Amino acid sequence: MQAPLSGAESPPSTRVSGYRIGDLIVDLGRARTTRGDGVEIPLPRLSFDLLVALVRAAPNIATQDDLMKQVWPRAIVSPETLSKRVNLLRDSLGDDSQEPRYIAGVRGRGYRLVPSVEKINESSAPPESSCALESTTLPESTTPLERHSERPRRFAATLALIAALLLALGWALWNRSHAPAQLSPVRAAPPPRSIAVLPFKDLGGGQEGDILALGIPEAVLHQLASIETLDVIARTSSFSFQGHDQDVRAIGQQLNVHYILEGSVQRDGQRLRVTTQLVNAQTGGHVWSMQFDKAPQGIFELQDAIALEVARALSISLDPGVTLKQQGTTHFDAYLEYIQGAKLLATWRTADTKVAAEHAARAVSIDPNFAAAYVLLASARVRLAEYTAGETHERAFREALRDSRGLLDQALTLDPKDSRAYAARGYLSGFTDVAAAEADYRKALELNPSDAQAYEGLANVLNENPARRAEVLMLIDRARKLDPLEPRLDVVKAAFLFYTRGDLDGAEKLLKNALQRDPLYEPALSKLAEVYWLQGRYSEGIKTAEQVVAADIDAIQPTTVLYYLYFEIRDLKSAENILRSAPSPSPALMAALFLAQKKWVEAGNQSLRAASLGAITAAGEPTTVAALRMGARATKRYAQAIDLLTERSQTEWDVAGQPIVRDWSSVYSNVVGLADMLIQAGDVTRGRRLLEATLAAMDREETTFGTGRLWIYQMRSVALALLGRNEEAIAAILQQATGKPLGISAGWFFLELEPAFLNIRQDPRFQEVLVAAHDRAAAERKAVARMVASGLMPDRSK
């Protein structure tokens, strides 16, 4: 039974509320840093945490290991990352490493504060306790979420690129929970029925208390999310405030919500004492507060009661016969295993994902009827298989898809209304059956209208159909509204603008907004390097990609982009050194190097090897296909190249000999390459028909679907040249070379080596473009040399 809070007060206690460091005041409660004159110094959360760690070590030296453990407690970072964060903090404070006023480096050991540190104490009492407060008068219900019903196909190339963003997260995902609140954009008034559930405070200490302090609010959040007329902020944003004592109105402003649910958990012998309070985030006033005393086994009844009281307080009436989402188990030990596994899976780190799968397996073993545990186990196993490299990757991934589908079917048999199971199954179906994937994502959103990840997944599925890309952006914006502090969604939207609309300026703006919140956010830096590449800003792209690689030497996508950027500035030595420094050099990158060295046979062999290993990345696909074509031309062996490119472009032929292409992705390099190989093999009629169909598809994409010419320029000029339409080919090259953005067809590498240009390469207009490309590469190469000399990036040429 629930009981009202007691009105008794505890005696005041003294605690440290902040520190004085010279002329700086560090306020722990508000996570603010000000100078003596009251002027606030905006610090990103990681910088603030670093400053606090230095303060707590003062007057002693804070070692590098200690600082990395305190500032990035759940991530593995390098000393280089720490050094960059120290420099950012120095810049914010107006400090100078040569003549430090605040932070001094101690060579080989760490850092220390220069000024003396003085504690600021305050007398404080526990939060006021009172009987349950009366609910305030609330506005009427908002309009229910719009439903969508059209059927798309999946955009495979974009999905792979979005997945690469997830690969890039690693240690950076922990940083997102430290996004600087003060840089959140100005938002419109929050929806009248919107709520964030914050992680509870663990007042008793111990591992179990810490687990329940996250598990109880997460369960309540999931229950509330099933209410269609209520906007519930996603876990990644609301749980980012764990351990940070900020004013509830400031949190409400950052999350753009009207109400906040917070609480605490304390284990007292065989009893759990859980205190909860619902707060109006606009005024800071309490709507109600309650205290529950339960045995651990009663936690499920407790979570139901909290969610029900929130619904009542917000004047949300549940239809007759409708209940809130149930917990799925009454076994306390299974519940604890599930919570620990879900917490680890949310980090996206491979090691944590493996342990998450072990927790999920134990939860299933304890309670074979626990549907959510099957979902957790399926998600963890698929993620492990998807993001674990190796020669057995493809087979292991197929097996994981099969086994995980069985686990999800079992979950839905146990609980046909488990929205998480439908969303997880939608992700699996996206690899084989996009219609089924869309149906599953829509079912997940019907059951949980506040599932930000389901909106994102549905957007990925719909993105294949160019006619529905406006809807895709609406879905991503809905996800961003429900998860406003998740910078990854800014990166995902930037990727959609980048890949589906050729909107580099819009993508750049979103990425820089994400980097304002955290200048070292790896996925945003990685994607920004690609944007710079396409804009012809090669030296800026190299500098940005080097930042990512310095923080995570195993990051595949940014290393690939960095490799090709060095090609663009004609620094083949640096590109080769990147390749040779890898533990297992990529055959796709080796193919590019051999192509640049005009070793055609070796280039073709490496491209075939890359295809057999599934090692062709989206960024490197055009160059790998070019290497394949040159190898086939050199050996006059076209059959293998034709078979491979037919499979990659999913090209078939009808009874009249007309092509049917099911995958135009890879900037058309697969399908144009296939046409080239058919023509070289003597099948001129089918090759030319395929080229004409490709040009028509390009026109349709540009004019009907608003994609723009960014992604069609390269292979459009090749297709025209292969058809012998040389004047049109030259016109396309000239227009791209002088336009903005430059795009991938304007570099010397492509212009000099593309075999289709054999008959136009000596044209004075073509030569003029080629000379300009070489001049631009030289200028960018000099810019890189200046950055290397200034210590902004390593010297890759040595």
Side-chain angles (χ1 to χ4, degrees):
M1 296 292 291
Q2 67 190 38
L5 291 173
S6 168
E9 296 184 357
S10 301
S13 60
T14 300
R15 66 177 182 179
V16 176
S17 65
Y19 297 90
R20 182 176 287 107
I21 314 165
D23 64 337
L24 303 178
I25 303 294
V26 178
D27 186 333
L28 297 179
R30 297 181 179 180
R32 297 174 65 223
T33 303
T34 58
R35 298 202 187 274
D37 54 8
V39 175
E40 182 175 355
I41 304 172
L43 291 181
R45 187 57 52 80
L46 285 172
S47 296
F48 182 83
D49 289 351
L50 174 60
L51 180 58
V52 171
L54 290 168
V55 165
R56 288 174 174 163
N60 299 320
I61 296 170
T63 67
Q64 290 186 348
D65 286 343
D66 286 343
L67 290 174
M68 287 188 287
K69 289 176 182 177
Q70 290 183 61
V71 181
W72 294 273
R74 303 183 188 184
I76 299 174
V77 299
S78 66
E80 175 71 15
T81 300
L82 173 61
S83 175
K84 290 180 178 179
R85 180 56 58 180
V86 170
N87 288 336
L88 288 170
L89 177 56
R90 281 173 169 155
D91 289 343
S92 298
L93 299 178
D95 202 8
D96 185 348
S97 61
Q98 301 302 315
E99 298 180 4
R101 295 172 52 206
Y102 300 109
I103 304 170
V106 182
R107 184 177 296 276
R109 299 184 63 186
Y111 301 89
R112 66 174 179 83
L113 288 178
V114 175
S116 59
V117 175
E118 177 186 348
K119 294 180 180 179
I120 301 174
N121 299 324
E122 71 175 11
S123 180
S124 62
E128 182 179 349
S129 302
S130 62
C131 294
L133 300 174
E134 295 182 1
S135 298
T136 59
T137 302
L138 299 176
E140 292 300 316
S141 174
T142 54
T143 304
L145 173 69
E146 290 184 332
R147 299 276 191 257
H148 307 284
S149 60
E150 295 178 294
R151 240 177 78 177
R153 291 172 54 228
R154 189 162 194 155
F155 185 25
T158 299
L159 177 65
L161 289 161
I162 299 299
L165 297 177
L166 301 178
L167 265 177
L169 294 181
W171 62 267
L173 275 177
W174 175 243
N175 294 358
R176 72 182 175 188
S177 67
H178 296 71
Q182 64 271 21
L183 291 177
S184 296
V186 176
R187 304 180 189 278
R193 284 199 176 95
S194 54
I195 188 170
V197 182
L198 302 186
F200 288 7
K201 295 179 180 178
D202 173 23
L203 301 182
Q207 182 180 8
E208 188 172 295
D210 179 59
I211 294 170
L212 293 176
L214 294 177
I216 294 173
E218 183 167 0
V220 172
L221 185 155
H222 187 60
Q223 288 174 303
L224 294 174
S226 65
I227 301 175
E228 185 175 3
T229 56
L230 182 64
D231 283 352
V232 183
I233 296 300
R235 178 192 190 277
T236 47
S237 285
S238 59
F239 276 37
S240 68
F241 293 94
Q242 182 182 8
H244 296 282
D245 188 15
Q246 291 191 40
D247 182 83
V248 71
R249 287 170 293 184
I251 295 176
Q253 184 178 14
Q254 294 166 61
L255 297 177
N256 200 39
V257 291
H258 206 98
Y259 298 94
I260 285 177
L261 182 72
E262 57 183 3
S264 63
V265 177
Q266 187 171 14
R267 182 73 181 263
D268 184 11
Q270 295 303 309
R271 306 290 294 177
L272 280 176
R273 173 167 293 178
V274 179
T275 300
T276 60
Q277 53 189 13
L278 183 66
V279 183
N280 186 322
Q282 306 303 296
T283 65
H286 288 59
V287 179
W288 57 252
S289 57
M290 294 182 182
Q291 180 171 294
F292 303 83
D293 284 294
K294 296 281 185 182
Q297 295 294 338
I299 189 173
F300 311 108
E301 177 188 347
L302 179 155
Q303 291 167 169
D304 291 342
I306 295 173
L308 186 59
E309 287 301 320
V310 170
R312 287 173 177 168
L314 271 60
S315 300
I316 296 174
S317 59
L318 301 179
D319 294 334
V322 177
T323 59
L324 292 169
K325 174 68 182 176
Q326 298 302 302
Q327 305 304 318
T329 185
T330 56
H331 292 265
F332 186 66
D333 290 340
Y335 178 74
L336 289 181
E337 293 286 353
Y338 173 79
I339 293 173
Q340 292 176 82
K343 179 182 177 181
L344 289 167
L345 189 68
T347 70
W348 280 89
R349 292 174 57 193
T350 301
D352 287 347
T353 301
K354 183 177 181 180
V355 180
E358 295 170 358
H359 282 294
R362 285 195 289 269
V364 168
S365 177
I366 295 169
D367 183 0
N369 295 317
F370 191 1
Y374 286 97
V375 178
L376 179 65
L377 182 57
S379 300
R381 285 182 175 176
V382 166
R383 190 178 298 174
L384 274 176
E386 186 175 0
Y387 296 140
T388 300
E391 295 193 3
T392 62
H393 168 80
E394 290 296 325
R395 178 174 58 82
F397 183 55
R398 286 195 299 270
E399 291 175 355
L401 284 177
R402 181 196 63 217
D403 296 344
S404 295
R405 178 171 289 278
L407 292 170
L408 294 174
D409 288 343
Q410 176 66 15
L412 288 170
T413 299
L414 293 168
D415 184 359
K417 294 186 176 181
D418 191 327
S419 64
R420 288 170 291 195
Y422 283 107
R425 196 172 71 178
Y427 184 78
L428 301 190
S429 297
F431 293 97
T432 56
D433 185 348
V434 294
E438 181 184 359
D440 279 335
Y441 277 126
R442 293 197 183 282
K443 183 64 175 178
L445 290 170
E446 176 185 330
L447 295 167
N448 179 357
S450 292
D451 190 341
Q453 289 188 355
Y455 282 107
E456 180 188 350
L458 181 57
N460 278 315
V461 169
L462 297 188
N463 194 57
E464 167 64 8
N465 187 343
R468 304 180 70 183
R469 286 175 181 168
E471 185 180 351
V472 168
L473 294 176
M474 290 174 58
L475 291 169
I476 288 297
D477 283 338
R478 176 65 175 162
R480 293 169 71 221
K481 178 181 178 182
L482 292 168
D483 206 353
L485 298 188
E486 172 54 272
R488 183 177 59 82
L489 290 174
D490 284 344
V491 179
V492 169
K493 182 176 181 181
F496 278 124
L497 292 176
F498 182 42
Y499 295 119
T500 66
R501 292 179 177 269
D503 183 1
L504 297 185
D505 292 339
E508 181 182 356
K509 182 178 179 180
L510 275 169
L511 295 170
K512 287 185 174 179
N513 284 341
L515 290 170
Q516 281 185 342
R517 297 198 292 273
D518 183 356
L520 296 178
Y521 186 60
E522 181 180 328
L525 286 170
S526 179
K527 194 54 56 186
L528 185 59
E530 290 187 56
V531 170
Y532 287 150
W533 179 13
L534 270 293
Q535 291 174 331
R537 297 157 66 182
Y538 304 138
S539 58
E540 291 180 79
I542 289 172
K543 178 185 176 183
T544 304
E546 288 283 14
Q547 285 183 270
V548 183
V549 174
D552 184 0
I553 60 173
D554 296 323
I556 298 174
Q557 183 76 357
T559 301
T560 301
V561 171
L562 181 63
Y563 179 79
Y564 284 112
L565 280 165
Y566 276 111
F567 267 93
E568 294 289 4
I569 66 170
R570 206 163 186 162
D571 185 354
L572 300 187
K573 184 63 176 177
S574 292
E576 184 176 358
N577 286 338
I578 292 174
L579 178 64
R580 298 191 183 284
S581 65
S584 178
S586 163
L589 300 188
M590 292 177 68
L593 182 62
F594 284 132
L595 188 64
Q597 295 170 342
K598 300 184 179 181
K599 297 178 180 179
W600 313 129
V601 176
E602 293 90 336
N605 288 338
Q606 288 298 328
S607 65
L608 288 170
R609 181 166 174 262
S612 68
L613 295 175
I616 301 178
T617 65
E621 190 164 28
T623 305
T624 310
V625 172
L628 176 70
R629 291 165 54 210
M630 291 303 295
R633 280 169 171 257
T635 60
K636 307 299 183 184
R637 300 174 192 163
Y638 302 109
Q640 195 170 9
I642 289 172
D643 289 345
L644 176 59
L645 294 173
T646 297
E647 178 185 356
R648 294 186 69 82
S649 61
Q650 298 181 42
T651 298
E652 301 173 3
W653 301 87
D654 64 16
V655 292
Q658 295 297 327
I660 303 171
V661 181
R662 304 192 186 281
D663 186 359
W664 296 101
S665 62
S666 76
V667 294
Y668 296 92
S669 59
N670 288 322
V671 67
V672 173
L674 173 59
D676 179 29
M677 294 294 92
L678 289 170
I679 292 172
Q680 299 305 315
D683 195 347
V684 178
T685 299
R686 287 208 301 175
R688 292 181 67 87
R689 285 177 179 175
L690 186 54
L691 290 172
E692 295 289 359
T694 300
L695 290 171
M698 290 176 176
D699 290 339
R700 185 168 59 251
E701 183 172 357
E702 178 187 359
T703 59
T704 305
F705 304 125
T707 305
R709 292 202 165 191
L710 174 65
W711 299 108
I712 67 177
Y713 259 112
Q714 182 179 41
M715 300 316 292
R716 183 179 186 85
S717 59
V718 174
L720 290 168
L722 288 171
L723 285 169
R725 293 158 62 175
N726 294 339
E727 283 299 317
E728 293 176 76
I730 291 176
I733 292 170
L734 287 171
Q735 187 175 0
Q736 179 66 350
T738 58
K740 181 186 178 183
L742 291 169
I744 54 179
S745 68
W748 71 270
F749 187 59
F750 168 72
L751 294 169
E752 203 168 276
L753 299 175
E754 170 53 52
F757 295 156
L758 179 63
N759 294 328
I760 62 174
R761 194 165 282 122
Q762 298 308 314
D763 187 289
R765 294 166 296 176
F766 188 100
Q767 284 294 311
E768 184 178 348
V769 173
L770 183 58
V771 169
H774 281 301
D775 289 345
R776 183 170 61 251
E780 294 291 321
R781 192 163 58 247
K782 289 179 181 178
V784 168
R786 289 193 295 270
M787 293 180 188
V788 170
S790 300
L792 295 176
M793 65 177 69
D795 186 353
R796 293 281 185 179
S797 65
K798 296 180 179 179

